[in-house]
Amino acid sequence: MNEEIAEIFNEIADLLDVKGVDFKPRAYRKAARKIGSMKDDVKEYYEDDSLKDIEGVGDAMEDKIEEIIETGSLEYLEELKEELPSGLIDVMNVPDIGPKSAKKLYEELGVEDLDSLKEEAEAGNIEELKGFGKKTQKKILQGIEMLEEISGRHLLNEVIPIAEDLIDHLGPKAEKIEKAGSMRRWKETIGDVDILATGERDELMETFVDHEEVEEVLVKGETKTSVRLKGGIQADLRVVEAGSFGAALQYFTGSKEHNVSVRQIAIDKGYKLNEYGLFRKDDEEKVAGGSEEGIYEELDLKWISPELREDRGEIEAAKEGSLPELVERDEIKGDLQSHSDWSDGHNTVFEVAEEAQNKGYEYIALTDHSQGLSVAGGLTSEDIKEREEEIDEVNEELDINVLSGIEVDIKKDGTLDMDSETLKELDIVLGAVHSNFKMDEEKQTERIKKAFETGLIDIFAHPTGRKIGEREGYEVNVSEMIQSAEENEVVLEINASPKRLDLDSLNAREAKEEGVTISLGTDAHGLNHLDYMKYGVATARRAWLETDDVLNTRSYEDLMDFIHDRGDRDG
Ligand SMILES: [Zn+2]
């Protein structure tokens, strides 16, 4: 419910911006950020009649939240939408188009949806507008292309929790049940939720459509039922025979490329492989099908983790017995990027640390922003000292090691947004690029390398700056960046936030091959974001990373040794 409300409030803010309303959009965005990152369900506040305890929620917003909870929609939003073309929201989703540009495009060129935007851009009419230009027009076309790619797909955090909930709901009725599809491979964006089960067919299908999140039953068939969930995501349940469960799971997990290669191996060995099983070609005898392991084994392959099934060398490795021993979620001993209310996080140091302790972690790095990032209320070296006192107290009180860290801005010229004395006293230093995204590749790469060469950065955060479905990263030569990280012993991050997953699996794999250590950080700005670690681990697994490749599998002592060994520091 929290994310739903946050989304509606953000939409309201965008529409108010287009209308040219002052102040109100900011208030809605602020409340959306707060609600979107709260750990507790807004419904609990609603039930206790305490919605106004939420920061930024006044009378007007309280009414609106109540309406959303009670009816699932909001009249006010519908009215706003009627005043403006509904496609304008999509237009504002294009990177580089904010509410102000959308308004201008609408008023001067009549752009009211993505189609008309594309037409105007292709016709070259946008570059004629004051304040736009050729470069912006090109960016807009690239942005539309990116949106077309992601259309109909969803981020992991929108899909995985629902899928797990559905599986819990069905579990007691099923003999076997598993996620399938790209979701089981933990691809960064997911189309539909695919679930595969064995058990009593009618009962399973009934239970499935009974789930409270199901809004509409699309198809209810013999072997497959499809529904649309309340958030608009489609979910499919397939019920198969126990003797075919492994074959169906293998088949529906994909990827297509992986399956083509596996089927070829089957053919070469005189078999036929399909979703029902592995059959001998000559007498049609079924030799495997109940389990995936059985099928791979019959083909003289080791079982391959779903995250690797992209036809990127995993089949050869399975043949040779040289598959990686992938890092596991329960090997992660801490979170190496988080933010408290000292910068733009929503929780106190104590709250963040306590939640991390509840997760069973040995340590958590508090990496609030430096002051250069004015929007994030960044820290000065004075603030750092004050925060240090608070961290010391929390370290006394709780049974977890809170690292005093920072996410220091790398400035345009590659210097850092904080003096080196302060940085050297900190437990851990993350560096990051948050501005000047439009530099050309050569300059951007130089900027980053120069920052690495200061020796002051332990970890380079979200190394390409991309946000899935929102914006491409900055232009950087990733291979050169990896080389420089290796030379300067800089750790590269896989940012576990489902919007980022940056480095992505291909780049992280290249980093590993070049001998660069990878760290995982959730970039939590609220307590619920600490749950994102599983998405970071999944990306690490898709990158073939093993335990030793990942910095946060180390114990607290080993982590501190690692950081001390790589740079010179006072703390
Ligand atoms: Zn950042």
Side-chain angles (χ1 to χ4, degrees):
M1 186 48 85
N2 294 21
E3 297 209 353
E4 233 171 296
I5 292 171
E7 204 172 298
I8 291 178
F9 279 12
N10 277 326
E11 223 171 302
I12 290 175
D14 285 346
L15 290 170
L16 289 174
D17 266 334
V18 177
K19 287 184 64 183
V21 177
D22 285 332
F23 307 117
K24 269 166 98 180
R26 255 178 99 166
Y28 275 102
R29 284 207 181 89
K30 202 174 152 210
R33 259 202 312 277
K34 177 72 199 167
I35 292 168
S37 67
M38 273 177 5
K39 188 177 161 55
D40 300 324
D41 195 329
V42 171
K43 269 192 192 153
E44 287 169 28
Y45 288 85
Y46 167 77
E47 277 152 18
D48 297 347
D49 204 15
S50 62
L51 282 167
K52 281 198 282 187
D53 289 353
I54 300 171
E55 201 187 308
V57 174
D59 287 320
M61 278 192 226
E62 181 189 28
D63 289 345
K64 294 193 174 71
I65 296 172
E66 285 173 355
E67 190 184 329
I68 297 167
I69 291 175
E70 285 161 13
T71 67
S73 61
L74 185 65
E75 191 64 32
Y76 178 58
L77 175 63
E78 300 313 314
E79 283 166 13
L80 280 176
K81 279 183 176 167
E82 263 165 43
E83 292 171 35
L84 293 163
S86 58
L88 271 187
I89 298 247
D90 301 329
V91 171
M92 278 185 281
N93 281 334
V94 176
D96 293 300
I97 298 186
K100 280 205 188 93
S101 319
K103 188 176 180 207
K104 195 156 185 189
L105 289 163
Y106 172 54
E107 284 170 354
E108 301 198 13
L109 293 176
V111 165
E112 46 182 42
D113 53 24
L114 279 184
D115 284 344
S116 49
L117 178 68
K118 196 172 176 178
E119 261 169 47
E120 296 298 325
E122 280 170 348
N125 294 335
I126 290 177
E127 63 170 281
E128 306 291 332
L129 282 187
K130 202 171 162 238
F132 283 81
K134 228 183 177 102
K135 211 169 167 186
T136 309
Q137 182 169 277
K138 194 175 147 213
K139 284 261 173 206
I140 288 174
L141 280 168
Q142 284 171 350
I144 295 171
E145 203 177 302
M146 183 189 76
L147 287 179
E148 283 170 347
E149 259 168 50
I150 198 172
S151 99
R153 300 191 68 82
H154 311 274
L155 297 178
L156 281 170
N157 64 316
E158 295 166 20
V159 174
I160 296 279
I162 300 172
E164 286 174 350
D165 202 46
L166 282 167
I167 287 176
D168 281 350
H169 177 71
L170 288 164
K173 315 272 180 193
E175 282 158 21
K176 283 185 187 165
I177 186 158
E178 258 291 2
K179 301 183 194 104
S182 51
M183 186 170 67
R184 186 163 175 248
R185 306 198 314 276
W186 295 82
K187 228 182 133 188
E188 49 212 2
T189 60
I190 308 292
D192 303 338
V193 169
D194 287 310
I195 298 172
L196 200 67
T198 64
E200 216 279 297
R201 193 157 274 161
D202 294 342
E203 200 186 4
L204 279 166
M205 298 299 193
E206 271 316 309
T207 313
F208 182 57
V209 299
D210 244 13
H211 192 277
E212 57 172 13
E213 282 296 311
V214 172
E215 181 156 273
E216 191 190 348
V217 179
L218 302 172
V219 192
K220 204 168 161 214
E222 259 291 285
T223 55
K224 177 179 153 188
T225 295
S226 299
V227 298
R228 196 174 59 241
L229 302 170
K230 280 180 183 154
I233 297 170
Q234 184 179 325
D236 299 339
L237 171 69
R238 282 190 179 81
V239 180
V240 300
E241 298 294 332
S244 293
F245 184 74
L249 188 57
Q250 203 278 332
Y251 181 89
F252 288 112
T253 296
S255 65
K256 223 181 260 160
E257 294 78 10
H258 174 88
N259 284 357
V260 165
S261 296
V262 173
R263 270 203 301 278
Q264 188 58 48
I265 293 178
I267 291 166
D268 293 345
K269 289 187 183 295
Y271 294 119
K272 192 180 84 187
L273 177 63
N274 60 29
E275 61 185 286
Y276 303 102
L278 182 68
F279 301 88
R280 259 203 310 261
K281 198 119 196 239
D282 45 17
D283 58 3
E284 306 243 310
E285 179 85 23
K286 187 172 181 173
V287 294
S291 76
E292 278 192 336
E293 286 84 352
I295 293 168
Y296 283 102
E297 193 180 86
E298 203 64 45
L299 299 174
D300 296 318
L301 299 170
K302 286 262 174 350
W303 179 79
I304 299 170
S305 291
E307 295 94 329
L308 298 183
R309 298 185 196 171
E310 301 290 345
D311 199 21
R312 293 177 185 159
E314 74 279 8
I315 294 170
E316 293 73 13
K319 235 183 262 177
E320 296 164 6
S322 62
L323 284 166
E325 273 184 50
L326 299 178
V327 60
E328 307 259 2
R329 169 66 186 85
D330 61 11
E331 292 178 300
I332 303 302
K333 298 199 167 67
D335 193 326
L336 290 175
Q337 181 172 182
S338 71
H339 301 260
S340 73
D341 58 5
W342 277 93
S343 62
D344 57 347
H346 292 290
N347 297 92
T348 61
V349 173
F350 182 88
E351 287 165 342
V352 177
E354 188 185 42
E355 184 69 13
Q357 177 179 295
N358 291 340
K359 295 207 171 307
Y361 286 149
E362 274 183 41
Y363 50 85
I364 177 152
L366 271 186
T367 54
D368 286 305
H369 292 281
S370 63
Q371 60 177 346
L373 203 62
S374 50
V375 286
L379 271 59
T380 61
S381 35
E382 226 12 76
D383 297 329
I384 296 256
K385 289 198 186 87
E386 278 180 53
R387 193 191 59 171
E388 195 95 36
E389 286 169 30
E390 199 174 321
I391 289 178
D392 286 346
E393 279 169 32
V394 173
N395 271 330
E396 296 254 306
E397 218 167 319
L398 292 175
D399 198 18
I400 181 166
N401 300 292
V402 181
L403 276 63
S404 176
I406 194 160
E407 181 180 0
V408 64
D409 241 18
I410 296 173
K411 293 196 275 193
K412 197 177 173 186
D413 61 1
T415 59
L416 304 181
D417 177 40
M418 183 158 279
D419 62 275
S420 55
E421 287 82 83
T422 308
L423 291 174
K424 282 182 187 175
E425 277 167 23
L426 287 159
D427 295 325
I428 192 163
V429 175
L430 271 59
V433 168
H434 290 111
S435 59
N436 298 101
F437 271 40
K438 290 183 179 159
M439 289 164 80
D440 66 42
E441 182 181 302
E442 199 185 323
K443 285 208 185 96
Q444 192 70 267
T445 310
E446 279 313 309
R447 170 194 191 179
I448 291 167
K449 280 161 70 172
K450 198 172 161 207
F452 287 3
E453 284 158 13
T454 64
L456 293 165
I457 294 174
D458 300 308
I459 298 172
F460 185 43
H462 42 73
T464 74
R466 70 149 175 189
K467 283 194 176 171
I468 300 168
E470 236 173 74
R471 65 170 190 227
E472 311 272 1
Y474 35 80
E475 286 171 29
V476 59
N477 184 323
V478 175
S479 296
E480 251 185 72
M481 175 178 80
I482 289 172
Q483 282 306 330
S484 174
E486 198 273 326
E487 283 158 25
N488 295 290
E489 294 180 67
V490 174
V491 174
L492 296 178
E493 181 185 67
I494 291 178
N495 191 293
S497 169
K499 239 190 195 133
R500 292 189 181 268
L501 300 176
D502 174 17
L503 294 176
D504 68 15
S505 59
L506 284 172
N507 288 332
R509 189 170 168 191
E510 182 180 341
K512 171 207 163 101
E513 280 161 5
E514 297 299 324
V516 173
T517 303
I518 298 288
S519 79
L520 303 179
T522 60
D523 206 348
H525 285 72
L527 296 183
N528 59 340
H529 298 160
L530 291 167
D531 289 336
Y532 292 164
M533 186 56 79
K534 59 184 170 209
Y535 308 126
V537 173
T539 303
R541 291 169 64 86
R542 286 174 61 79
W544 294 51
L545 300 195
E546 305 187 276
T547 313
D548 288 344
D549 300 321
V550 178
L551 184 60
N552 10 359
T553 59
R554 287 168 174 73
S555 67
Y556 173 66
E557 282 74 26
D558 290 349
L559 171 71
M560 295 322 280
D561 284 348
F562 180 97
I563 293 170
H564 277 266
D565 287 349
R566 68 153 301 282
D568 68 315
R569 45 183 357 107
D570 307 331

